[in-house]
Amino acid sequence: MPRHRLRWIALGATAVVLAAAGALAVWWPSEAELAQRLGDAATERLGVPVTVGQLHWSLFPSPRVELRDVQTDQKAPLTAGRISAGIRWGDLLRRRLAVTDLQLENATIAQVSLSEFKVRDAAQDGASMPFTLAPIPLERADWQDVRWVGRNGRSLTYAGSAQFDTAWRPRQAWLERTGAPVPTRIDIAREGAEDRWRADVSAGGRTEQGTLRLQEISGLYRVTGAIDFTGVDLLGLMGAFERRSVVAGKASGHTDLIAEGADAADAVRALHTRTRFTVARARLLTFDLEKAVKTVGTHRGGTTQLDSLEGVVRTEADGDGTIVRYSDLKATSGALTATGDAVLQNRRVSGHVAVDLVDGLVGIPLEFGGTMDDPTLSLPPAALAGAAVGTAVAPGIGTAIGARIGETLRRIFSDDDEPPAPPAERRPAPRR
């Protein structure tokens, strides 16, 4: 074939390619337009305004989309500095949605804002999906510098990773509380193809092994777990989550958890835990119980060295913040024995304790109150009135006995069965 003919064919092919590229440029929306469309679609699905600052995409060596400066328009916005997702050419050509890896960086998730979401399902809206879901829609997810902001405004940073099997079952995953003063992390690994996982939990200077199990019962998902622990440092454990511990010492015991719901988010909102614990050589950091008893509740502050402390603590998720309930509490310190219970929510505490002293001060009733930052321990009004009478009759032991009698009379003749308490306890979902 003559060279001039080859030259004309090459020029013609180049012209066709350039024309096609020009038509594609006119037809294919810009990255800015795609960012606007994606923000509008997210707004429609989540029920809150969503903006995408920037969108970048590439096709080689494999398709990838990257979003930057994503945020919701809320009083406490959810933000993401960077979201990146990749897929394979084979899945793209088959019009099949299968994300090979999803990366999330520099994000803020405010708990109070999640309740404002009204997620809509595209299928329920009658919208046609251009892609079908692969058996494993997401193979791997990684996140770092993700800040969880609780209802009380406390911000905690986390990092983690998860690899998935079919039906969104994690094959293995880890979650770490970054920036904690002591390593605080959980690693889970699936046991074969069963809905059962081994969980290695590192907290309070110890690493213990527990189990997690998933069941589907009557259309509900139920997650149960259990772990035994020994020698966990309470100050280190609480400090990892920037919480103030009222007790110092090393705890041992057993924890069970249960979460049940129609989906993962619903199950988390219904999470309950129950822990029975003992602490040897514990130290109460907020009160000197003996002085509080001998001054009928007027002494504040101080510490109490305990020979032992035991009890049960239950937690339950609540719309107004996690409720923590302490029951069957028993503390001993030489001649002193104290029993009681307490409820903690949003860092406010309430409860009561009865303190017995072998030297003759028997059963002094005291009430907890205030906040974790400024707790109070005082006599209830009826006990205080009884103590005043007892002091007049017989100083010393009469004060203590009068306080106990006054509180007993209040409980007998009060119109209320129980003194005012924080939110009523919600019973966990019945076991089936």
Side-chain angles (χ1 to χ4, degrees), residues 214-392:
L214 172 65
Q215 298 171 284
E216 293 186 46
I217 304 174
S218 301
L220 295 177
Y221 292 92
R222 173 182 288 175
V223 177
T224 55
I227 188 171
D228 293 308
F229 55 92
T230 304
V232 174
D233 179 60
L234 294 176
L235 291 180
L237 175 63
M238 300 298 287
F241 299 96
E242 298 183 4
R243 294 180 180 272
R244 180 185 178 189
S245 178
V246 298
V247 177
K250 294 188 176 182
S252 301
H254 177 87
T255 296
D256 293 297
L257 69 82
I258 180 171
E260 187 176 84
D263 52 39
D266 193 29
V268 169
R269 286 192 292 267
L271 175 65
H272 288 68
T273 70
R274 181 185 186 277
T275 301
R276 175 165 287 281
F277 67 90
T278 60
V279 185
R281 302 300 301 166
R283 186 160 54 96
L284 186 61
L285 303 177
T286 51
F287 300 108
D288 185 327
L289 281 177
E290 188 167 352
K291 287 186 178 180
V293 169
K294 292 183 176 180
T295 60
V296 288
T298 60
H299 179 83
R300 298 181 63 176
T303 63
T304 304
Q305 186 66 48
L306 301 175
D307 298 324
S308 66
L309 173 66
E310 62 183 52
V312 176
V313 56
R314 294 178 175 86
T315 70
E316 61 179 272
D318 183 78
D320 295 324
T322 301
I323 302 175
V324 184
R325 302 181 186 275
Y326 299 89
S327 60
D328 299 332
L329 293 174
K330 182 177 181 180
T332 60
S333 177
L336 176 150
T337 300
T339 57
D341 54 61
V343 178
L344 173 65
Q345 185 177 26
N346 292 330
R347 298 193 62 77
R348 298 198 64 85
V349 62
S350 67
H352 70 273
V353 59
V355 183
D356 295 339
L357 294 177
V358 172
D359 62 5
L361 301 179
V362 180
I364 297 296
L366 297 171
E367 287 188 348
F368 289 111
T371 66
M372 291 295 291
D373 296 322
D374 185 25
T376 62
L377 188 63
S378 60
L379 281 175
L384 187 61
V389 174
T391 300

Side-chain angles (χ1 to χ4, degrees), residues 34-96:
L34 286 174
Q36 179 65 48
R37 291 185 184 181
L38 185 59
D40 293 342
T43 298
E44 180 70 16
R45 292 289 171 258
L46 298 179
V48 298
V50 179
T51 58
V52 178
Q54 299 176 48
L55 182 149
H56 304 291
W57 62 274
S58 60
L59 295 178
F60 300 100
S62 60
R64 177 166 290 276
V65 176
E66 181 176 290
L67 311 179
R68 290 188 176 271
D69 301 326
V70 180
Q71 70 174 24
T72 62
D73 185 8
Q74 297 173 278
K75 185 176 180 180
L78 274 64
T79 66
R82 176 179 176 270
I83 303 174
S84 179
I87 58 177
R88 297 188 185 89
W89 271 112
D91 292 314
L92 184 64
L93 296 176
R94 294 184 180 89
R95 302 174 67 86
R96 185 171 63 182

